[in-house]
Coordinates of all heavy atoms in Angstrom, one line a residue:
W53 N 7.6 -8.0 -10.2 CA 8.9 -7.5 -9.8 C 9.1 -7.7 -8.3 O 8.1 -7.4 -7.5 CB 9.1 -6.1 -10.2 CG 9.0 -5.8 -11.6 CD1 7.9 -5.5 -12.4 CD2 10.1 -5.9 -12.5 NE1 8.3 -5.4 -13.7 CE2 9.6 -5.6 -13.8 CE3 11.5 -6.1 -12.4 CZ2 10.5 -5.5 -14.9 CZ3 12.3 -6.0 -13.5 CH2 11.8 -5.8 -14.8
H54 N 10.3 -8.1 -7.8 CA 10.6 -8.3 -6.4 C 11.6 -7.3 -6.0 O 12.7 -7.2 -6.7 CB 11.1 -9.7 -6.2 CG 11.5 -10.0 -4.8 ND1 12.7 -10.5 -4.5 CD2 10.9 -9.7 -3.6 CE1 12.8 -10.7 -3.2 NE2 11.8 -10.2 -2.6
L55 N 11.4 -6.5 -5.0 CA 12.3 -5.5 -4.5 C 13.5 -6.3 -3.9 O 13.4 -7.1 -3.0 CB 11.7 -4.6 -3.4 CG 12.6 -3.5 -2.9 CD1 13.0 -2.5 -3.9 CD2 11.9 -2.8 -1.7
I56 N 14.7 -6.0 -4.4 CA 15.9 -6.7 -3.9 C 16.9 -5.8 -3.1 O 17.7 -6.3 -2.4 CB 16.7 -7.4 -5.0 CG1 17.1 -6.5 -6.1 CG2 15.8 -8.6 -5.6 CD1 18.0 -7.1 -7.2
S57 N 16.8 -4.5 -3.4 CA 17.6 -3.6 -2.6 C 17.1 -2.1 -2.6 O 16.4 -1.7 -3.5 CB 19.1 -3.6 -3.1 OG 19.2 -2.9 -4.3
V58 N 17.4 -1.4 -1.5 CA 17.1 0.0 -1.4 C 18.4 0.7 -1.0 O 19.1 0.3 0.0 CB 16.0 0.2 -0.3 CG1 15.8 1.7 -0.2 CG2 14.8 -0.5 -0.6
S59 N 18.8 1.7 -1.8 CA 20.1 2.3 -1.4 C 20.0 2.9 0.0 O 19.0 3.5 0.4 CB 20.4 3.4 -2.5 OG 19.4 4.4 -2.5
G60 N 21.1 2.7 0.7 CA 21.2 3.3 2.1 C 20.6 2.3 3.1 O 20.7 2.6 4.3
L61 N 20.0 1.2 2.8 CA 19.5 0.3 3.7 C 20.3 -1.1 3.6 O 20.6 -1.5 2.5 CB 18.0 0.0 3.5 CG 17.0 1.1 3.7 CD1 15.6 0.6 3.4 CD2 17.1 1.7 5.1
S62 N 20.5 -1.7 4.8 CA 21.2 -2.9 4.8 C 20.4 -4.1 4.2 O 20.9 -5.1 3.7 CB 21.8 -3.3 6.2 OG 20.7 -3.3 7.1
S63 N 19.1 -4.0 4.4 CA 18.2 -5.0 3.9 C 16.9 -4.3 3.4 O 16.4 -3.3 3.9 CB 17.8 -6.1 4.9 OG 17.1 -5.5 6.0
A64 N 16.4 -4.9 2.3 CA 15.2 -4.3 1.7 C 13.9 -4.9 2.3 O 13.9 -6.1 2.7 CB 15.2 -4.6 0.2
P65 N 12.9 -4.1 2.4 CA 11.6 -4.6 2.9 C 11.1 -5.6 1.8 O 11.5 -5.6 0.7 CB 10.7 -3.4 3.0 CG 11.3 -2.3 2.2 CD 12.8 -2.6 2.1
Q66 N 10.1 -6.4 2.2 CA 9.6 -7.4 1.2 C 8.4 -6.7 0.4 O 7.4 -6.4 1.0 CB 9.1 -8.6 1.9 CG 10.2 -9.4 2.6 CD 9.7 -10.7 3.1 OE1 9.0 -11.5 2.4 NE2 10.1 -11.1 4.3
V67 N 8.7 -6.5 -0.9 CA 7.7 -5.8 -1.7 C 7.7 -6.6 -3.1 O 8.8 -6.9 -3.6 CB 8.1 -4.4 -2.0 CG1 7.1 -3.7 -3.0 CG2 8.1 -3.6 -0.7
Y68 N 6.5 -6.8 -3.6 CA 6.3 -7.4 -4.9 C 5.4 -6.4 -5.7 O 4.4 -6.0 -5.1 CB 5.7 -8.8 -4.9 CG 6.6 -9.8 -4.2 CD1 6.6 -10.0 -2.8 CD2 7.5 -10.5 -4.9 CE1 7.4 -10.9 -2.2 CE2 8.4 -11.4 -4.3 CZ 8.3 -11.6 -2.9 OH 9.1 -12.5 -2.3
V69 N 5.6 -6.1 -6.9 CA 4.7 -5.3 -7.7 C 4.6 -5.8 -9.1 O 5.6 -6.3 -9.7 CB 5.2 -3.8 -7.7 CG1 6.6 -3.6 -8.3 CG2 4.2 -2.9 -8.3
G70 N 3.4 -5.7 -9.6 CA 3.2 -6.1 -11.0 C 2.5 -5.0 -11.7 O 1.6 -4.3 -11.2
F71 N 2.9 -4.7 -13.0 CA 2.4 -3.7 -13.8 C 1.7 -4.3 -15.0 O 2.3 -5.1 -15.7 CB 3.5 -2.7 -14.3 CG 4.2 -2.0 -13.2 CD1 5.4 -2.4 -12.8 CD2 3.6 -0.9 -12.6 CE1 6.1 -1.7 -11.7 CE2 4.3 -0.2 -11.5 CZ 5.5 -0.6 -11.1
S72 N 0.4 -4.0 -15.2 CA -0.3 -4.6 -16.3 C -0.4 -3.7 -17.5 O -0.2 -2.5 -17.3 CB -1.8 -5.0 -15.9 OG -1.7 -5.9 -14.8
Q73 N -0.6 -4.2 -18.7 CA -0.7 -3.4 -19.9 C -1.9 -2.5 -19.9 O -1.9 -1.5 -20.6 CB -0.7 -4.3 -21.1 CG 0.6 -5.1 -21.4 CD 0.5 -5.9 -22.6 OE1 -0.5 -6.1 -23.2 NE2 1.7 -6.4 -23.0
D74 N -2.9 -2.7 -19.1 CA -4.0 -1.8 -19.0 C -3.8 -0.7 -18.0 O -4.7 0.0 -17.6 CB -5.3 -2.6 -18.6 CG -5.3 -3.1 -17.2 OD1 -4.2 -3.0 -16.5 OD2 -6.3 -3.7 -16.8
F75 N -2.5 -0.5 -17.6 CA -2.1 0.6 -16.7 C -2.6 0.5 -15.3 O -2.8 1.4 -14.6 CB -2.4 2.0 -17.3 CG -1.6 2.3 -18.6 CD1 -2.3 2.1 -19.8 CD2 -0.3 2.6 -18.5 CE1 -1.6 2.3 -21.0 CE2 0.4 2.9 -19.7 CZ -0.2 2.7 -20.9
S76 N -2.8 -0.8 -14.9 CA -3.2 -1.1 -13.5 C -1.9 -1.7 -12.8 O -1.1 -2.2 -13.5 CB -4.4 -1.9 -13.4 OG -4.1 -3.2 -13.9
F77 N -1.9 -1.6 -11.5 CA -0.8 -2.3 -10.8 C -1.3 -3.0 -9.6 O -2.4 -2.6 -9.1 CB 0.3 -1.3 -10.4 CG -0.1 -0.4 -9.3 CD1 0.1 -0.7 -7.9 CD2 -0.6 0.9 -9.5 CE1 -0.3 0.1 -6.9 CE2 -1.0 1.7 -8.5 CZ -0.8 1.3 -7.2
E78 N -0.6 -4.0 -9.1 CA -0.9 -4.6 -7.8 C 0.5 -4.6 -7.1 O 1.5 -5.0 -7.6 CB -1.3 -6.1 -8.0 CG -2.7 -6.2 -8.5 CD -3.2 -7.7 -8.5 OE1 -2.4 -8.6 -8.2 OE2 -4.4 -7.9 -8.8
L79 N 0.4 -4.2 -5.8 CA 1.6 -4.2 -5.0 C 1.3 -4.9 -3.7 O 0.3 -4.7 -3.1 CB 2.0 -2.7 -4.7 CG 3.2 -2.5 -3.9 CD1 3.9 -1.3 -4.4 CD2 2.9 -2.3 -2.4
Y80 N 2.3 -5.8 -3.3 CA 2.2 -6.5 -2.0 C 3.4 -6.1 -1.2 O 4.5 -6.3 -1.6 CB 2.2 -8.0 -2.3 CG 1.0 -8.5 -3.1 CD1 1.0 -8.5 -4.5 CD2 -0.2 -9.0 -2.5 CE1 -0.1 -8.9 -5.2 CE2 -1.3 -9.4 -3.2 CZ -1.2 -9.3 -4.6 OH -2.3 -9.8 -5.3
Q81 N 3.1 -5.7 0.0 CA 4.2 -5.2 0.9 C 4.0 -5.8 2.3 O 2.9 -5.7 2.8 CB 4.2 -3.7 1.0 CG 5.2 -3.1 1.8 CD 5.2 -1.6 1.8 OE1 4.3 -0.9 1.3 NE2 6.2 -1.0 2.4
K82 N 5.1 -6.4 2.8 CA 5.1 -6.9 4.1 C 5.6 -5.8 5.1 O 6.7 -5.3 4.9 CB 5.9 -8.1 4.2 CG 5.8 -8.8 5.6 CD 6.5 -10.2 5.6 CE 6.3 -10.9 6.9 NZ 7.0 -12.1 6.9
V83 N 4.8 -5.5 6.0 CA 5.1 -4.4 6.9 C 5.5 -5.0 8.3 O 4.7 -5.7 8.9 CB 3.9 -3.4 7.1 CG1 4.3 -2.3 8.1 CG2 3.5 -2.9 5.8
G84 N 6.8 -4.8 8.7 CA 7.3 -5.4 9.9 C 7.1 -6.9 9.9 O 7.4 -7.6 8.9
E85 N 6.7 -7.4 11.0 CA 6.5 -8.9 11.2 C 5.1 -9.3 10.8 O 4.7 -10.5 10.9 CB 6.7 -9.3 12.6 CG 8.2 -9.1 13.1 CD 9.2 -9.9 12.3 OE1 8.9 -11.1 12.0 OE2 10.2 -9.4 11.9
G86 N 4.3 -8.4 10.3 CA 2.9 -8.6 10.0 C 2.8 -9.4 8.6 O 3.7 -9.9 8.1
R87 N 1.5 -9.4 8.1 CA 1.3 -10.1 6.9 C 1.5 -9.1 5.7 O 1.6 -7.9 5.9 CB -0.2 -10.5 6.9 CG -0.5 -11.5 8.0 CD -1.9 -12.0 7.9 NE -2.8 -10.9 8.1 CZ -4.1 -11.0 8.0 NH1 -4.7 -12.1 7.8 NH2 -4.9 -9.9 8.2
F88 N 1.5 -9.7 4.5 CA 1.5 -8.8 3.3 C 0.2 -8.0 3.2 O -0.9 -8.6 3.5 CB 1.7 -9.7 2.1 CG 3.2 -10.1 1.8 CD1 3.6 -11.3 2.3 CD2 4.0 -9.2 1.2 CE1 5.0 -11.6 2.1 CE2 5.3 -9.6 0.9 CZ 5.8 -10.8 1.4
R89 N 0.4 -6.8 2.7 CA -0.8 -6.0 2.4 C -0.8 -5.7 0.9 O 0.2 -5.5 0.3 CB -0.7 -4.6 3.2 CG -0.8 -4.8 4.7 CD -0.9 -3.5 5.4 NE -0.9 -3.8 6.8 CZ -1.2 -2.9 7.7 NH1 -1.7 -1.7 7.3 NH2 -1.2 -3.2 9.0
K90 N -2.0 -5.8 0.4 CA -2.2 -5.6 -1.0 C -2.7 -4.2 -1.3 O -3.6 -3.7 -0.7 CB -3.2 -6.6 -1.6 CG -3.5 -6.5 -3.1 CD -4.5 -7.5 -3.5 CE -4.8 -7.4 -5.0 NZ -5.8 -8.4 -5.4
Y91 N -2.0 -3.5 -2.3 CA -2.4 -2.2 -2.8 C -2.6 -2.3 -4.3 O -1.9 -3.0 -5.0 CB -1.3 -1.2 -2.5 CG -1.0 -1.0 -1.0 CD1 0.0 -1.8 -0.5 CD2 -1.7 -0.2 -0.2 CE1 0.3 -1.7 0.9 CE2 -1.4 -0.1 1.1 CZ -0.4 -0.8 1.7 OH -0.1 -0.7 3.0
V92 N -3.7 -1.7 -4.8 CA -3.9 -1.7 -6.2 C -4.2 -0.3 -6.7 O -4.5 0.6 -5.9 CB -5.1 -2.6 -6.6 CG1 -4.9 -4.0 -6.3 CG2 -6.4 -2.1 -5.9
G93 N -4.1 0.0 -8.0 CA -4.4 1.3 -8.5 C -4.0 1.3 -10.0 O -3.9 0.3 -10.7
T94 N -3.7 2.5 -10.4 CA -3.3 2.8 -11.8 C -2.0 3.5 -11.9 O -1.6 4.2 -10.9 CB -4.4 3.6 -12.6 OG1 -4.6 4.8 -11.9 CG2 -5.7 2.8 -12.7
Y95 N -1.3 3.4 -13.0 CA 0.0 4.0 -13.2 C 0.0 4.7 -14.5 O -0.8 4.4 -15.4 CB 1.1 3.1 -13.0 CG 1.3 2.1 -14.1 CD1 2.1 2.3 -15.2 CD2 0.6 0.9 -14.1 CE1 2.3 1.4 -16.2 CE2 0.7 0.0 -15.1 CZ 1.6 0.2 -16.2 OH 1.7 -0.7 -17.2
N96 N 1.0 5.6 -14.7 CA 1.2 6.3 -16.0 C 2.7 6.4 -16.2 O 3.5 6.6 -15.3 CB 0.6 7.7 -15.9 CG 0.7 8.5 -17.2 OD1 0.4 7.9 -18.2 ND2 1.3 9.7 -17.1
V97 N 3.1 6.2 -17.5 CA 4.5 6.4 -17.8 C 4.6 7.5 -18.9 O 3.8 7.5 -19.9 CB 5.0 5.1 -18.5 CG1 6.5 5.3 -18.9 CG2 4.9 3.9 -17.5
S98 N 5.5 8.5 -18.6 CA 5.7 9.6 -19.5 C 7.2 9.7 -19.7 O 7.9 10.1 -18.8 CB 5.2 10.9 -18.9 OG 5.5 11.9 -19.8
G99 N 7.7 9.2 -20.8 CA 9.2 9.1 -21.0 C 9.8 8.1 -20.1 O 9.4 6.9 -20.1
T100 N 10.6 8.5 -19.1 CA 11.2 7.7 -18.1 C 10.6 7.9 -16.7 O 11.2 7.5 -15.8 CB 12.7 7.8 -18.1 OG1 13.0 9.2 -17.8 CG2 13.4 7.4 -19.4
T101 N 9.5 8.6 -16.7 CA 8.9 9.0 -15.4 C 7.6 8.1 -15.2 O 6.7 8.0 -16.0 CB 8.5 10.5 -15.3 OG1 9.7 11.2 -15.5 CG2 7.9 10.8 -14.0
L102 N 7.6 7.4 -14.0 CA 6.5 6.6 -13.6 C 5.8 7.2 -12.5 O 6.4 7.6 -11.5 CB 7.0 5.2 -13.2 CG 6.0 4.2 -12.6 CD1 5.1 3.7 -13.7 CD2 6.8 3.0 -12.0
S103 N 4.4 7.4 -12.6 CA 3.6 7.9 -11.5 C 2.4 7.1 -11.4 O 2.1 6.3 -12.2 CB 3.3 9.4 -11.8 OG 2.5 9.5 -13.0
G104 N 1.7 7.3 -10.3 CA 0.5 6.5 -10.1 C -0.5 6.9 -9.0 O -0.1 7.9 -8.3
K105 N -1.6 6.3 -8.9 CA -2.6 6.5 -7.9 C -3.1 5.2 -7.4 O -3.2 4.2 -8.1 CB -3.8 7.3 -8.5 CG -3.6 8.7 -8.9 CD -4.9 9.3 -9.4 CE -4.7 10.7 -9.8 NZ -6.0 11.3 -10.3
Y106 N -3.4 5.2 -6.1 CA -4.0 4.0 -5.5 C -5.5 4.0 -5.8 O -6.1 5.0 -6.2 CB -3.8 4.0 -3.9 CG -2.3 3.9 -3.6 CD1 -1.6 5.1 -3.2 CD2 -1.6 2.7 -3.7 CE1 -0.2 5.0 -2.9 CE2 -0.3 2.6 -3.3 CZ 0.4 3.8 -3.0 OH 1.8 3.7 -2.7
S107 N -6.1 2.9 -5.5 CA -7.6 2.7 -5.9 C -8.4 3.7 -5.1 O -9.5 4.0 -5.6 CB -8.0 1.3 -5.6 OG -7.8 1.0 -4.2
D108 N -8.0 4.3 -4.0 CA -8.8 5.3 -3.3 C -8.6 6.7 -3.9 O -9.1 7.7 -3.3 CB -8.4 5.3 -1.8 CG -7.0 5.7 -1.5 OD1 -6.2 6.0 -2.4 OD2 -6.6 5.7 -0.3
G109 N -7.8 6.8 -5.0 CA -7.6 8.1 -5.6 C -6.4 8.9 -5.1 O -6.0 9.9 -5.7
K110 N -5.7 8.4 -4.0 CA -4.6 9.1 -3.5 C -3.3 8.8 -4.4 O -3.1 7.7 -4.7 CB -4.3 8.6 -2.1 CG -3.2 9.3 -1.4 CD -3.0 8.9 0.1 CE -1.9 9.7 0.7 NZ -1.7 9.3 2.1
A111 N -2.6 9.9 -4.7 CA -1.4 9.7 -5.5 C -0.3 9.1 -4.7 O -0.2 9.2 -3.5 CB -1.0 11.1 -6.0
W112 N 0.6 8.4 -5.4 CA 1.8 7.9 -4.8 C 2.6 9.1 -4.1 O 2.4 10.2 -4.5 CB 2.7 7.3 -5.8 CG 2.2 6.0 -6.5 CD1 1.1 5.3 -6.2 CD2 2.8 5.4 -7.6 NE1 1.0 4.2 -7.0 CE2 2.1 4.2 -7.9 CE3 4.0 5.6 -8.4 CZ2 2.3 3.4 -8.9 CZ3 4.3 4.7 -9.4 CH2 3.5 3.6 -9.7
G113 N 3.4 8.8 -3.2 CA 4.2 9.8 -2.5 C 5.1 10.6 -3.4 O 5.5 11.7 -3.1
A114 N 5.5 10.0 -4.5 CA 6.4 10.6 -5.5 C 6.3 10.0 -6.8 O 5.7 8.9 -6.9 CB 7.9 10.5 -5.0
A115 N 6.8 10.7 -7.8 CA 6.9 10.1 -9.2 C 8.3 9.5 -9.2 O 9.2 9.8 -8.3 CB 6.8 11.1 -10.3
Y116 N 8.6 8.5 -10.1 CA 9.9 7.8 -10.1 C 10.5 7.9 -11.5 O 9.8 7.8 -12.5 CB 9.7 6.4 -9.8 CG 9.2 6.1 -8.4 CD1 7.9 6.2 -8.1 CD2 10.1 5.8 -7.3 CE1 7.4 6.0 -6.8 CE2 9.7 5.6 -6.1 CZ 8.3 5.7 -5.8 OH 7.9 5.5 -4.5
E117 N 11.8 8.2 -11.5 CA 12.6 8.0 -12.7 C 12.9 6.5 -12.8 O 13.4 6.0 -11.8 CB 13.8 8.9 -12.7 CG 13.6 10.3 -12.9 CD 12.9 10.7 -14.2 OE1 13.3 10.2 -15.3 OE2 11.9 11.4 -14.2
V118 N 12.6 5.9 -13.9 CA 12.8 4.5 -14.0 C 13.8 4.1 -15.1 O 13.9 4.8 -16.1 CB 11.5 3.7 -14.3 CG1 10.6 3.8 -13.1 CG2 10.8 4.2 -15.5
S119 N 14.6 3.1 -14.9 CA 15.4 2.5 -16.0 C 15.4 1.0 -15.8 O 15.2 0.5 -14.7 CB 16.9 3.0 -15.8 OG 17.5 2.6 -14.6
R120 N 15.5 0.3 -16.9 CA 15.5 -1.1 -16.9 C 16.7 -1.7 -17.8 O 16.9 -1.2 -18.9 CB 14.2 -1.6 -17.6 CG 14.1 -3.1 -17.6 CD 12.8 -3.6 -18.1 NE 12.8 -5.0 -18.2 CZ 11.8 -5.8 -18.7 NH1 10.7 -5.2 -19.2 NH2 11.9 -7.1 -18.8
E121 N 17.3 -2.6 -17.2 CA 18.4 -3.3 -17.8 C 18.1 -4.8 -17.6 O 18.3 -5.4 -16.5 CB 19.8 -3.0 -17.3 CG 20.2 -1.6 -17.6 CD 21.6 -1.3 -17.1 OE1 22.5 -2.2 -17.1 OE2 21.9 -0.1 -16.8
G122 N 17.7 -5.5 -18.7 CA 17.3 -6.9 -18.6 C 16.2 -7.1 -17.6 O 15.1 -6.6 -17.7
N123 N 16.5 -7.9 -16.6 CA 15.6 -8.3 -15.5 C 15.7 -7.4 -14.3 O 15.2 -7.8 -13.2 CB 15.7 -9.8 -15.1 CG 15.2 -10.7 -16.2 OD1 14.4 -10.3 -17.0 ND2 15.7 -11.9 -16.2
V124 N 16.3 -6.2 -14.4 CA 16.5 -5.3 -13.3 C 15.9 -4.0 -13.6 O 16.1 -3.4 -14.6 CB 18.0 -5.1 -13.0 CG1 18.2 -4.1 -11.9 CG2 18.6 -6.5 -12.6
L125 N 15.0 -3.6 -12.7 CA 14.3 -2.3 -12.8 C 14.7 -1.4 -11.6 O 14.6 -1.8 -10.5 CB 12.8 -2.5 -12.7 CG 11.9 -1.3 -12.7 CD1 11.9 -0.6 -14.1 CD2 10.4 -1.7 -12.3
T126 N 15.2 -0.2 -11.9 CA 15.6 0.7 -10.9 C 14.6 1.9 -10.9 O 14.4 2.5 -12.0 CB 17.1 1.3 -11.2 OG1 17.9 0.1 -11.2 CG2 17.5 2.2 -10.0
M127 N 14.1 2.2 -9.7 CA 13.2 3.3 -9.6 C 13.7 4.3 -8.6 O 14.0 3.9 -7.4 CB 11.8 2.8 -9.1 CG 11.2 1.8 -10.0 SD 9.7 1.0 -9.4 CE 8.7 2.4 -9.0
T128 N 13.9 5.6 -9.0 CA 14.4 6.6 -8.1 C 13.4 7.7 -8.0 O 13.0 8.3 -9.0 CB 15.7 7.2 -8.7 OG1 16.6 6.1 -8.9 CG2 16.3 8.2 -7.7
P129 N 12.9 8.0 -6.8 CA 11.9 9.0 -6.6 C 12.4 10.4 -7.0 O 13.6 10.6 -6.9 CB 11.6 9.0 -5.1 CG 12.1 7.7 -4.6 CD 13.2 7.3 -5.5
D130 N 11.6 11.3 -7.5 CA 12.0 12.6 -7.9 C 12.0 13.6 -6.8 O 11.7 14.7 -6.9 CB 11.1 13.1 -9.1 CG 9.6 13.3 -8.6 OD1 9.3 12.9 -7.4 OD2 8.8 13.8 -9.4
V131 N 12.5 13.1 -5.6 CA 12.6 13.9 -4.4 C 14.1 13.9 -4.1 O 14.8 12.9 -4.1 CB 11.9 13.2 -3.2 CG1 12.0 14.0 -2.0 CG2 10.4 13.0 -3.6
A132 N 14.6 15.1 -3.8 CA 16.0 15.3 -3.5 C 16.5 14.4 -2.4 O 15.8 14.3 -1.3 CB 16.3 16.8 -3.2
G133 N 17.6 13.7 -2.6 CA 18.2 12.9 -1.5 C 17.5 11.5 -1.3 O 17.8 10.8 -0.4
A134 N 16.5 11.2 -2.1 CA 15.7 10.0 -1.9 C 16.6 8.8 -2.4 O 17.4 8.9 -3.2 CB 14.4 10.0 -2.7
E135 N 16.3 7.6 -1.8 CA 17.0 6.4 -2.1 C 16.4 5.8 -3.4 O 15.3 6.0 -3.7 CB 17.0 5.4 -1.0 CG 15.6 5.1 -0.4 CD 15.1 6.1 0.6 OE1 15.7 6.4 1.6 OE2 13.9 6.5 0.4
S136 N 17.2 4.9 -4.0 CA 16.8 4.2 -5.2 C 16.3 2.8 -4.8 O 16.8 2.2 -3.9 CB 18.0 4.1 -6.2 OG 18.3 5.3 -6.7
Y137 N 15.3 2.3 -5.5 CA 14.7 1.0 -5.3 C 15.1 0.1 -6.5 O 14.8 0.5 -7.6 CB 13.2 1.1 -5.1 CG 12.8 2.0 -4.0 CD1 12.7 3.4 -4.2 CD2 12.6 1.4 -2.7 CE1 12.3 4.2 -3.1 CE2 12.2 2.2 -1.7 CZ 12.1 3.6 -1.9 OH 11.7 4.4 -0.8
V138 N 15.6 -1.0 -6.2 CA 16.0 -1.9 -7.3 C 15.2 -3.2 -7.2 O 15.2 -3.9 -6.2 CB 17.5 -2.3 -7.2 CG1 17.9 -3.3 -8.3 CG2 18.4 -1.0 -7.3
Y139 N 14.5 -3.5 -8.3 CA 13.6 -4.7 -8.4 C 14.2 -5.7 -9.4 O 14.8 -5.3 -10.4 CB 12.2 -4.3 -8.9 CG 11.4 -3.4 -7.9 CD1 11.6 -2.1 -7.8 CD2 10.5 -4.0 -7.1 CE1 10.9 -1.3 -6.9 CE2 9.7 -3.3 -6.2 CZ 9.9 -1.9 -6.1 OH 9.2 -1.2 -5.2
Q140 N 13.9 -6.9 -9.2 CA 14.3 -8.0 -10.1 C 13.1 -8.7 -10.6 O 12.2 -9.0 -9.8 CB 15.2 -9.0 -9.4 CG 15.8 -10.0 -10.4 CD 16.9 -10.8 -9.7 OE1 16.9 -11.1 -8.5 NE2 17.9 -11.2 -10.5
K141 N 13.0 -8.9 -11.9 CA 11.8 -9.6 -12.5 C 11.8 -11.0 -12.0 O 12.7 -11.8 -12.0 CB 11.9 -9.5 -14.0 CG 10.6 -10.0 -14.6 CD 10.5 -9.5 -16.0 CE 9.1 -9.9 -16.6 NZ 8.4 -8.8 -17.2
K142 N 10.6 -11.5 -11.6 CA 10.3 -12.8 -11.1 C 9.7 -13.6 -12.2 O 8.9 -13.2 -12.9 CB 9.5 -12.8 -9.8 CG 10.3 -12.4 -8.6 CD 11.3 -13.4 -8.3 CE 12.0 -13.1 -7.0 NZ 13.0 -14.0 -6.7

């Protein structure tokens, strides 16, 4: 999945994430003008809520309410006033 928009931002950061059937994920994020950084870990889905942990055991900053329509995945953190993240399947 490729991040295509973040509500409230004029342009989205460069992020790619893949979710495997064994409940592992790989995330590549470009920070500023630097190189992509790779993050790995595990995830869990309960109903429409997605949560996860990085390989160092640290939990994600929030759980996300997720919805999917075709090749579009929308993730909204369960934090009041948080922006939504929209990904497109690659």
Side-chain angles (χ1 to χ4, degrees):
W53 296 93
H54 175 230
L55 182 64
I56 57 172
S57 71
V58 178
S59 62
L61 296 180
S62 59
S63 64
Q66 292 189 48
V67 177
Y68 296 88
V69 63
F71 299 101
S72 298
Q73 290 183 350
D74 67 356
F75 295 99
S76 64
F77 73 88
E78 287 188 357
L79 182 142
Y80 297 86
Q81 180 176 9
K82 187 172 184 181
V83 180
E85 296 297 319
R87 299 182 299 178
F88 278 93
R89 294 186 185 197
K90 180 180 178 181
Y91 301 91
V92 297
T94 59
Y95 71 93
N96 183 51
V97 178
S98 177
T100 59
T101 303
L102 174 68
S103 59
K105 290 183 183 179
Y106 296 102
S107 60
D108 65 2
K110 185 175 178 181
W112 293 352
Y116 296 84
E117 287 299 312
V118 295
S119 64
R120 181 177 173 185
E121 290 186 32
N123 288 337
V124 176
L125 175 69
T126 302
M127 298 174 56
T128 304
D130 64 355
V131 178
E135 54 276 309
S136 292
Y137 300 86
V138 179
Y139 290 83
Q140 187 170 33
K141 190 163 183 127
K142 286 293 187 183

